[in-house]
Amino acid sequence: MSWQLGIEHLRDLARGAAILGTGGGGDPLIGRLLVEQAIREHGPVTVVDPDELADDAFVIPTAQMGAPTVIVEKIPRGSEPVGALRALEKHLGRHADATMPIECGGINSMIPLLVAARTGLPVVDADGMGRAFPELQMETFSVYGVPGSPMAIAGEHDETVVIDTGTDNKQMEWLARGITIRLGGVAHIAEYSMTGAEVKRTAVPRTLSLGLSIGRAVREARAVHADPVEAIRDALAPTLYSHLRVLFRGKVVDVERRTLEGFARGRARFTSYDGTSELELRFQNENLVAEVDGEVVCTVPDLICVLEGDTAEPITTEGLRYGQRVTVVGISTPALMRTPEALAVFGPSCFGLDVEFNPVEDRAETPAGVATSLAP
Amino acid sequence: MSWQLGIEHLRDLARGAAILGTGGGGDPLIGRLLVEQAIREHGPVTVVDPDELADDAFVIPTAQMGAPTVIVEKIPRGSEPVGALRALEKHLGRHADATMPIECGGINSMIPLLVAARTGLPVVDADGMGRAFPELQMETFSVYGVPGSPMAIAGEHDETVVIDTGTDNKQMEWLARGITIRLGGVAHIAEYSMTGAEVKRTAVPRTLSLGLSIGRAVREARAVHADPVEAIRDALAPTLYSHLRVLFRGKVVDVERRTLEGFARGRARFTSYDGTSELELRFQNENLVAEVDGEVVCTVPDLICVLEGDTAEPITTEGLRYGQRVTVVGISTPALMRTPEALAVFGPSCFGLDVEFNPVEDRAETPAGVATSLAP
């Protein structure tokens, strides 16, 4: 069933999408403000379920691309992602019937809503990552045979770039990243244009609704002083993301972060409240791998989320600060994203990590995660 | 009058174009070999005078882009510049009636011939630099109001990129350079598409014929043991490039060269044969400024050419080696390239040089240039 997404949904969606962003995807605050303004001017957005799409419908996903460390400082004026969509439509000589997120995490849950509000197109309730990932080939669309090319990039001065690398989505990422860096570290894109049939075959379904329901669950738990992490677990249980495990509770003691080659790269260290245990987190825009006392407890493509200890408000990689009191959780990624084909595109080795992927729910529990006490 | 350019013209043209390349533009040897093969397969190339073009003819210039230090190592397979032309034609929805050099110096005298041979299009006897320059906005087309956008780039794996920066040719260069770097340091382009009327208004005319006549003059002088530098002077005298001055005779004593941000940047030092005088040359792909004993003797956009001392064979910036015995000459650039509008685009300050442009023929002669004796 299609439904209307209005301003009243945006705070919950932003919160839920930041959790699904696993530290990356860009802070959704700015995206939320842009969408609020667009809905105020143009009215609410129609969200369609992927099952409702005609097989021959033509869908052009839209997104922001760049380092989260830059995204928080370089604010779009709002027309850029529409510019990317129009440039791709013009290149293809075909109009889109709908737009869609490429990643449901972070600001990229919001950018397609901005496009939808400004153009009147509906947005499909699905995406190509089921979370956030740093690179454009790391999409289920790519894993299951939809080429990202041709793709369009739009800059803040109405520059447009159309890249066509055939079926080589990694080379597309490489060239698009080069342009994004030269546009100042952030740009807007339209890519992986596809039919409704391809959406149904390759996308992670209903991830906009998922973000919304996670965000709402956290808000409602806070209102009644319930544990918001348990609320996230309950919201996820009936979905494709059925397992949530608390990996660690403690404080941020060190953050090392650099904006390098267009990415925010680095690591953060956390110690447990009793000082007996340590978690190390490595990230490239998104959280990639978490180790507790030298043992891997969760890796991509499972989701590693750093949540503010009391409120479960998600903390992005660029927002990590010394002294923050946090709960780190691991969430199982959908089965579609754990196949050998999927792991070949966004498994740990694709990030240069010498770690096997093991589902988070199959790994040993950690003492600092099991501990039920919250921060003293 | 149009004429047929065959294999028999290529060696002279390559030599003359390397002189007009002022150290850059890429070594024409590889280009010559590519064109030889293409003419052998497809027949000779029709060269048309700009005055012959219909005002509404549609011309798409083609070129290679990249650092000369890379160009000598990364050999194209030959289809890339045609790929760039076709990508731009497709984007514009219009077929070219002719191609044209954007720079008549170095390998870029050859690339349009390669395109012409492979496609059957004629090539216009004109270009947009009247020499070689390192950046895409440094073209007379740009100076006199033709936008470079949209432009197409083709890579060795059939990647295509179409960049549109409106009338901002400097931003076009910036983004295209980023793509070129990510394609390995060299790429092929089609840009500044224009009408026949615009060619006549903005291009430097008859620079292919000029390259050919300079190259032929050098060959013929060598055959009769005449001074080949004098032969170049005589060949230039009746053209738009009417002054040639010998700036220096001596030996290369130091070369400092780096491939940096997609360019070959550096400087070279020369001492006179009697050891009393020194020339310093700075370059960014092309030679930019020559100083003798601390005094500027020639700057862009006038041409600074390093020629092998005995034969006047041109030496490119990437070919400079310790111990080479050379004659350095300055050649006056056409008036079209010395206007205030032109100097604002490719005068010394555009290269970060704190030097005024003064025509080479108005500067004081240097002792090491005046010396008539050749190397002892």
Side-chain angles (χ1 to χ4, degrees), chain A residues 357-376:
Chain A
F357 172 74
N358 279 312
V360 63
E361 66 272 23
D362 295 347
R363 293 187 180 270
E365 298 236 19
T366 61
V370 172
T372 50
S373 65
L374 290 182

Side-chain angles (χ1 to χ4, degrees), chain A residues 159 162 164 171 174 182, chain B residues 159-160 162 164 171 174 182:
Chain A
E159 307 97 328
V162 175
D164 191 341
Q171 179 74 344
W174 174 245
R182 293 218 155 196
Chain B
E159 307 96 330
T160 59
V162 176
D164 191 341
Q171 179 74 344
W174 173 247
R182 294 218 154 196

Side-chain angles (χ1 to χ4, degrees), chain A residues 32-277:
Chain A
R32 174 168 71 75
L33 296 174
L34 287 165
V35 178
E36 266 188 29
Q37 187 189 351
I39 290 181
R40 206 168 286 126
E41 285 174 24
H42 303 281
V45 169
T46 301
V47 180
V48 297
D49 191 273
D51 285 351
E52 281 179 285
L53 280 176
D55 279 354
D56 63 351
F58 189 57
V59 179
I60 299 185
T62 47
Q64 189 180 74
M65 173 168 185
T69 37
V70 177
I71 289 171
V72 293
E73 299 197 3
K74 195 168 179 330
I75 317 293
R77 70 171 188 249
S79 61
E80 298 92 329
V82 178
L85 177 92
R86 295 303 185 213
L88 190 56
E89 284 182 331
K90 189 177 166 202
H91 182 83
L92 294 168
R94 190 169 175 191
H95 287 291
D97 299 314
T99 188
M100 182 167 70
I102 66 160
E103 66 180 348
C104 61
I107 197 168
N108 275 334
S109 61
M110 294 289 164
I111 296 296
L113 302 178
L114 176 62
V115 171
R118 279 177 166 252
T119 60
L121 291 175
V123 65
V124 183
D125 186 5
D127 80 305
M129 294 181 174
R131 43 167 292 160
F133 278 128
E135 300 182 16
L136 301 183
Q137 79 280 11
M138 296 174 168
E139 306 194 24
T140 54
F141 313 144
S142 172
V143 170
Y144 298 110
V146 178
S149 287
M151 74 168 290
I153 309 179
E156 65 189 320
H157 301 296
D158 296 328
E159 307 97 328
T160 60
V161 177
V162 175
I163 295 175
D164 191 341
T165 57
T167 57
D168 189 343
N169 299 325
K170 202 162 178 178
Q171 179 74 344
M172 178 186 81
E173 152 69 27
W174 174 245
L175 298 180
R177 190 69 52 184
I179 289 290
T180 299
I181 293 169
R182 293 218 155 196
L183 288 172
V186 57
H188 290 79
I189 61 175
E191 52 158 21
Y192 288 100
S193 62
M194 67 183 97
T195 64
E198 286 171 317
V199 171
K200 289 178 237 182
R201 185 172 64 77
T202 67
V204 186
R206 295 170 203 98
T207 42
L208 270 179
S209 335
L210 177 71
L212 192 56
S213 80
I214 296 173
R216 185 190 299 128
V218 170
R219 173 173 52 82
E220 290 174 350
R222 286 177 193 166
V224 298
H225 304 287
D227 180 351
V229 174
E230 286 307 309
I232 298 171
R233 188 199 306 275
D234 293 344
L236 290 171
T239 73
L240 300 174
Y241 301 68
S242 47
H243 296 85
L244 178 148
R245 173 173 289 182
V246 175
L247 303 172
F248 202 82
R249 299 182 203 269
K251 291 182 291 187
V252 178
V253 292
D254 195 24
V255 182
E256 180 194 321
R257 183 174 44 220
R258 295 206 298 162
T259 304
L260 202 69
E261 296 179 335
F263 297 107
R265 293 176 188 270
R267 55 182 73 206
R269 283 192 307 117
F270 308 73
T271 54
S272 59
Y273 294 118
D274 62 8
T276 62
S277 193

Side-chain angles (χ1 to χ4, degrees), chain B residues 232-252:
Chain B
I232 298 172
R233 188 198 305 274
D234 293 344
L236 289 172
T239 74
L240 301 174
Y241 302 68
S242 46
H243 296 86
L244 177 149
R245 174 172 290 181
V246 174
L247 303 173
F248 201 81
R249 299 182 203 268
K251 292 182 290 185
V252 179

Side-chain angles (χ1 to χ4, degrees), chain B residues 4-20:
Chain B
Q4 298 292 302
L5 185 146
I7 291 173
E8 68 279 13
H9 297 102
L10 294 176
R11 284 174 189 265
D12 285 344
L13 176 57
R15 187 181 308 109
I19 292 171
L20 292 172

